Amino acid sequence: MIYTCTMNTAIDLYVALDHLVPNKVNRTRDEDYQPNGKGVNVSIMLKKLGIENTALGFIGGFSGKYIDDSLRDLQITTEFIEVDGITRINVFVNAEEEYKIVNQGPTIKAEEVQHLLQKVQGIKSGDTLVVSGSLPRGVPESVITDIASICAEQQVKLVLDTSVDSVLDTLSYQPFLLKPNDEEIAKWFQKEHPLTEEELLIYGQELLIKGAQNVIISRGEKGALYLTENMQLKANAPKGEVVNTACSGDAMLATFIARQNQSSSIEEALAYAVATGASTAFSKGLSDLEDVSNLREQIDITTL
């Protein structure tokens, strides 16, 4: 079984308008509401790809209920912990440029964090846990290390897609897969300039040396890099009109996991992952998968 964990769940409100003008009423020409949070996105995309999974995390209020109901409507099993407060609603505006307004969400209590860790302890050996996204208020960064320790003890495959610095503290527990983007790599290694491909490979290898088993570095319009102790692969990104980049990394990660689960080669898993991530960026929300095969044809996998 694959589990996802979204500690900072959200509803994403996507709006499109021709111009965003200050101090005036701006009427939209399109809008869309979606259950969100990075792990939630992974759960939805896994389900679209035929992979059963269970969603964990925190939800609160009417917006939290919307997320739970939406996943259940998709026949995704949920084991969310209900908390006080209201799950955040984020706004993504597509006008002359793309604007992303991300809210904080409710404060999580210490006992609710412990409840989540108890759920992680119940995951069986050989299962996979995908922990994605930011941490809500009240949750210490050490929770990521606590989860890694439990997964190592339980022999659960841990996948991490979060920018918090404590990811580096999990490496001694040998997480199965890390999926940083290039900005997160720069942050972890305290570099303030945009990293070159050569630098990304160097720092990606450093993550492997410290204990990560696999690393995927998402690079947006530049594609992605995949690294193991014995392999370095590069995938270019297909061309298309970007509509909303908010969920593309989650779609990429879910597709990579799904393809591996379905016994695809690493090269094919990476190619389809990048294609699905691009398809999502070319959509209002998560890809409907209709154009993924065509986008896949634009992608070359190069061994470095």
Side-chain angles (χ1 to χ4, degrees):
M1 172 62 72
I2 296 175
Y3 294 81
T4 68
C5 178
T6 313
M7 285 181 256
N8 212 3
T9 50
I11 293 175
D12 276 6
L13 166 60
Y14 165 85
V15 295
L17 58 167
D18 295 326
H19 304 286
L20 185 60
V21 182
N23 304 315
K24 289 190 176 183
V25 173
N26 291 273
R27 299 195 183 278
T28 65
R29 56 178 167 78
D30 195 11
E31 64 185 57
D32 191 39
Y33 300 83
Q34 299 166 358
N36 208 278
K38 293 177 70 64
V40 168
N41 291 332
V42 172
S43 274
I44 294 172
M45 186 55 68
L46 285 171
K47 184 67 176 182
K48 287 186 177 188
L49 294 165
I51 304 296
E52 298 298 324
N53 68 93
T54 298
L56 309 175
F58 302 115
I59 56 171
F62 74 95
S63 49
K65 184 178 186 303
Y66 171 82
I67 292 171
D68 192 51
D69 289 344
S70 296
L71 294 190
R72 289 177 180 270
D73 288 345
L74 294 171
Q75 298 184 324
I76 296 171
T77 303
T78 65
E79 294 185 14
F80 289 119
I81 297 166
E82 292 192 35
V83 302
D84 293 334
I86 297 174
T87 291
R88 62 199 177 128
I89 301 175
N90 299 327
V91 182
F92 297 87
V93 179
N94 190 293
E96 299 94 338
E97 297 183 49
E98 185 180 29
Y99 300 86
K100 302 178 182 182
I101 304 168
V102 178
N103 294 306
Q104 296 184 71
T107 299
I108 309 302
K109 299 175 183 176
E111 57 266 31
E112 293 162 342
V113 175
Q114 289 303 312
H115 190 183
L116 178 65
L117 293 176
Q118 289 170 5
K119 285 184 175 290
V120 173
Q121 287 175 330
I123 299 175
K124 296 179 181 179
S125 174
D127 287 347
T128 298
L129 172 63
V130 183
V131 179
S132 297
S134 61
L135 300 180
R137 290 179 290 180
V139 177
E141 286 199 9
S142 59
V143 72
I144 301 297
T145 312
D146 294 337
I147 289 172
S149 174
I150 294 169
C151 288
E153 183 178 347
Q154 301 285 100
Q155 296 184 320
V156 171
K157 292 181 178 179
L158 177 62
V159 179
L160 291 172
D161 182 12
T162 175
S163 61
V164 299
D165 292 338
S166 60
V167 167
L168 299 180
D169 297 328
T170 71
L171 297 179
S172 61
Y173 297 106
Q174 298 184 314
F176 178 71
L177 173 64
L178 302 185
K179 196 213 74 65
N181 59 33
D182 46 4
E183 292 179 356
E184 289 163 344
I185 291 274
K187 175 175 173 283
W188 289 344
F189 288 94
Q190 300 178 331
K191 304 299 177 183
E192 297 183 358
H193 62 277
L195 299 182
T196 64
E197 181 178 302
E198 181 180 2
E199 288 175 312
L200 290 172
L201 292 171
I202 290 171
Y203 295 129
Q205 284 293 336
E206 186 70 17
L207 295 174
L208 295 170
I209 291 169
K210 291 179 179 294
Q213 298 181 49
N214 303 270
V215 176
I216 297 177
I217 303 173
S218 55
R219 306 181 67 200
E221 62 183 12
K222 295 182 180 179
L225 301 170
Y226 172 80
L227 296 82
T228 68
E229 184 179 355
N230 301 311
M231 181 186 299
Q232 292 184 344
L233 301 177
K234 175 181 177 180
N236 65 297
K239 302 297 182 182
E241 182 180 352
V242 173
V243 175
N244 181 13
T245 61
C247 307
S248 57
D250 308 327
M252 184 179 83
L253 178 59
T255 304
F256 185 82
I257 293 170
R259 283 280 174 167
Q260 279 206 307
N261 192 268
Q262 295 162 341
S263 300
S264 290
S265 68
I266 293 295
E267 291 83 358
E268 278 301 287
L270 181 62
Y272 273 95
V274 172
T276 308
S279 174
T280 296
F282 304 157
S283 309
K284 290 184 291 186
L286 289 168
S287 169
D288 60 13
L289 304 178
E290 290 184 1
D291 59 348
V292 169
S293 293
N294 289 334
L295 293 172
R296 162 64 186 95
E297 294 178 3
Q298 299 182 39
I299 297 172
D300 295 317
I301 302 296
T302 305
T303 301
L304 301 177

